[in-house]
Amino acid sequence: AAKRKSTNPTVIAKSLGAAALKPEGVRVPIELVAAERRNNQSLASRIAKVASGKSLYLVFKNLNTPKQPEELYNVYINLEEGKTPTAADTPAGTINFYNFVRKPSADAFFSFDVTDALKKLVAEKQLSDSLVITIVPAAPPAEGVIPTIGQIELVEQ
């Protein structure tokens, strides 16, 4: 998982609010932002228009946890609802909360390059108007610990 400072990103889509990472996992819809919707385009058509030399990133902001969950969290793109990920399901990335036992910080985030995965979904016509991000712990987290992610964004950079 890359942790780095963004420069001149364009937010294409984002979650509507915070996500609590329950032990059974959570599904978070990511929808086009108003500026992108005004261009009368679908998420699939917007992804198809990513400029050469630019990439798409999932950015996870405002991570917070009351104490260490002692586990990693796998992030999947458009995993079928109700499906438990298997070894055949490749995560887009992995999040850890080892540095986030404190108040959320606007400067702290995780991001993953998802350009190839999203372009493949578009090419296979498997992308609807919203993108669903599924976040599942790799193994059971510490009992009673529910980390949160304040915002998830799809960014072109």
Side-chain angles (χ1 to χ4, degrees), residues 1-17:
K3 229 172 132 180
R4 59 181 219 216
K5 195 76 172 164
S6 295
T7 54
N8 301 322
T10 300
V11 177
I12 295 171
K14 65 182 181 177
S15 61
L16 298 178

Side-chain angles (χ1 to χ4, degrees), residues 86-109:
T86 65
D89 299 304
T90 304
T94 303
I95 298 173
N96 77 61
F97 284 84
Y98 297 111
N99 292 320
F100 296 103
V101 181
R102 56 180 162 67
K103 289 174 32 175
S105 167
D107 292 339
F109 65 92

Side-chain angles (χ1 to χ4, degrees), residues 125-139:
K125 299 188 183 329
Q126 294 184 9
L127 190 62
S128 62
D129 284 338
S130 70
L131 188 63
V132 178
I133 305 303
T134 302
I135 305 169
V136 181

